[in-house]
Amino acid sequence: MLGFIVKHPGLFSTFQDEGRLGYQSEGMPISGAMDQESMILANKLVGKERGAVLEMTFMGSSLEFKKNMAIAITGADMQPMINSKSIAMYQTIFVNPGDILTFKGLLDGFRAYIAFSDTLELDEVYNSKSTYVKIGAGGFGGRKLEKNDEISVVNNILPVFAKVKKMHRDDEIRVLLGYECEQFKLADSIFNHVYKVSNEIDRMGMRLEGHKLEHIDSADIISSPIIPGAIQVPKSGQPMILLRDAGTIGGYTRIGTVISCDLDKLAQKKPGDSIQFRPVNLEEAVQIKKKWLEALRNINLSDDRRHFSVVVNGLSYEVYVEEK
């Protein structure tokens, strides 16, 4: 069943879900939504615990819906509109055949997410529908969206309307120093300087600009396993942070690793944005993750609209009033 047609693909829009855990030993990156928290909230607003969402980077996609469904938009504020009228983020939106979703332009953040109440018919690779463009795996043909793409869906029951508050995020990026930090002179200096995100940024990683870290010996090591969040430091001394599409092994010294919760913060960083690192130990990192998971479990989906039952000329109507 045809769900929607892509009128304009945006800059780099792909379908993503939780990712591919457990296949790194076979050389397959984890991938998945760069901002997992935004993906989870969007899915909850369309009545799902999980499911593939559309991740849009810097510029939103334009979609023409071909059937009734519910959607929710979270993450970066790209000023979404339905039929040229502004719509709210972080709430359930019901669309009809012929409705066109567009985005006016980026106001805040870097990546936005659209969840759909219907199940998207996408390619599944290693138990995930996440798109990994480098090898053409998962998602819609293993690639980013293109104009006139037709996305099919499996019809699901429409959810009830709900709103959710965007979860608070501070701006610190918390880091666990690794054992390779001993290969740097004054390794803790990474915490004493503010870095800028360079123009070299994609789903694999981001290069930073700022204070140069100095190696005691060489920047090169024997290639070994790496994970998203690893902070590698090549000969230039400028750190680079590996992200969701990072490969599974690397050969540069790693001064530390960004904790998993803060990868979501990095997903919303764009070129020119500032990054301040803060050290944490393993116990602190575990507690931060536990609190984050608990906050997600306790998310309060609400409907603060005023409800009236109205009868006009013998016909009954359910009317909801929302304050803008």
Side-chain angles (χ1 to χ4, degrees):
M1 180 186 309
L2 181 59
F4 56 88
I5 296 175
V6 178
K7 306 296 288 184
H8 188 283
L11 182 65
F12 191 90
S13 299
T14 60
F15 293 106
Q16 302 291 339
D17 57 21
E18 294 92 339
R20 300 181 175 88
L21 289 171
Y23 299 97
Q24 295 95 305
S25 61
E26 299 179 36
M28 178 62 75
I30 295 173
S31 297
M34 293 280 283
D35 186 343
Q36 295 274 312
E37 181 182 293
S38 290
M39 174 194 69
I40 291 168
L41 293 180
N43 272 325
K44 285 181 178 292
L45 288 165
V46 295
K48 292 179 175 179
E49 284 302 313
R50 59 182 53 86
V53 299
L54 183 61
E55 177 183 273
M56 303 172 294
T57 303
F58 186 70
M59 181 186 299
S61 304
S62 176
L63 311 177
E64 181 181 348
F65 294 96
K66 292 299 181 180
K67 67 176 297 296
N68 291 29
M69 68 176 76
I71 65 171
I73 304 169
T74 59
D77 185 358
M78 297 182 179
Q79 302 181 82
M81 300 182 291
I82 293 287
N83 303 328
S84 300
K85 293 183 179 180
S86 296
I87 57 172
M89 297 178 62
Y90 291 90
Q91 73 173 43
T92 313
I93 302 292
F94 297 96
V95 296
N96 301 304
D99 284 349
I100 296 178
L101 172 67
T102 56
F103 293 85
K104 191 175 180 180
L106 184 68
L107 281 183
D108 180 62
F110 196 45
R111 292 179 173 90
Y113 294 83
I114 309 174
F116 307 85
S117 58
D118 287 3
T119 301
L120 305 175
E121 293 192 332
L122 302 170
D123 301 333
E124 186 171 304
V125 177
Y126 285 134
N127 297 318
S128 171
K129 294 181 179 180
S130 287
T131 310
Y132 180 41
V133 172
K134 191 170 183 179
I135 64 170
F140 189 77
R143 59 171 173 78
K144 64 180 182 179
L145 289 190
E146 296 177 358
K147 185 177 181 179
N148 296 325
D149 281 344
E150 297 185 352
I151 311 302
S152 295
V153 300
V154 176
N155 188 49
N156 289 334
I157 297 174
L158 287 175
V160 297
F161 175 87
K163 286 184 175 182
V164 68
K165 288 185 178 180
K166 185 176 181 179
M167 294 173 66
H168 171 72
R169 292 178 178 176
D170 58 42
D171 205 39
E172 288 184 321
I173 303 300
R174 291 159 291 192
V175 172
L176 278 166
L177 284 177
Y179 69 89
E180 287 169 19
C181 71
E182 298 175 355
Q183 299 187 34
F184 295 88
K185 296 179 181 179
L186 299 175
D188 60 356
S189 66
I190 192 173
F191 303 119
N192 301 325
H193 298 84
V194 176
Y195 288 87
K196 295 284 187 182
V197 179
S198 75
N199 289 325
E200 296 182 70
I201 176 174
D202 58 18
R203 284 183 49 86
M204 289 186 67
M206 59 168 61
R207 291 183 183 270
L208 306 182
E209 298 173 344
H211 172 71
K212 291 185 178 181
L213 298 166
E214 189 176 351
H215 299 84
I216 292 175
D217 188 9
S218 171
D220 300 320
I221 60 173
I222 296 174
S223 292
S224 58
I226 52 175
I227 60 172
I231 306 174
Q232 292 186 316
V233 186
K235 293 179 181 179
S236 67
Q238 299 289 356
M240 54 185 183
I241 309 173
L242 303 183
L243 301 175
R244 301 283 181 184
D245 277 359
T248 56
I249 59 172
Y252 290 128
T253 46
R254 293 154 294 192
I255 196 167
T257 303
V258 174
I259 66 172
S260 59
C261 294
D262 287 357
L263 288 177
D264 290 350
K265 298 179 189 177
L266 292 176
Q268 298 300 345
K269 295 287 187 180
K270 57 184 178 296
D273 284 353
S274 298
I275 286 182
Q276 175 74 62
F277 295 113
R278 181 171 76 82
V280 293
N281 58 38
L282 182 58
E283 183 179 353
E284 288 175 308
V286 170
Q287 290 304 313
I288 290 167
K289 184 63 176 283
K290 285 182 176 179
K291 288 181 180 179
W292 180 76
L293 290 172
E294 183 179 1
L296 284 175
R297 282 195 297 268
N298 295 329
I299 280 293
N300 180 31
L301 298 179
S302 62
D303 182 355
D304 58 6
R305 301 173 301 172
R306 287 179 290 169
H307 174 241
F308 302 92
S309 294
V310 179
V311 177
V312 179
N313 295 330
L315 297 176
S316 297
Y317 299 90
E318 302 300 313
V319 179
Y320 294 87
V321 178
E322 178 181 356
E323 294 185 6
K324 294 277 189 176

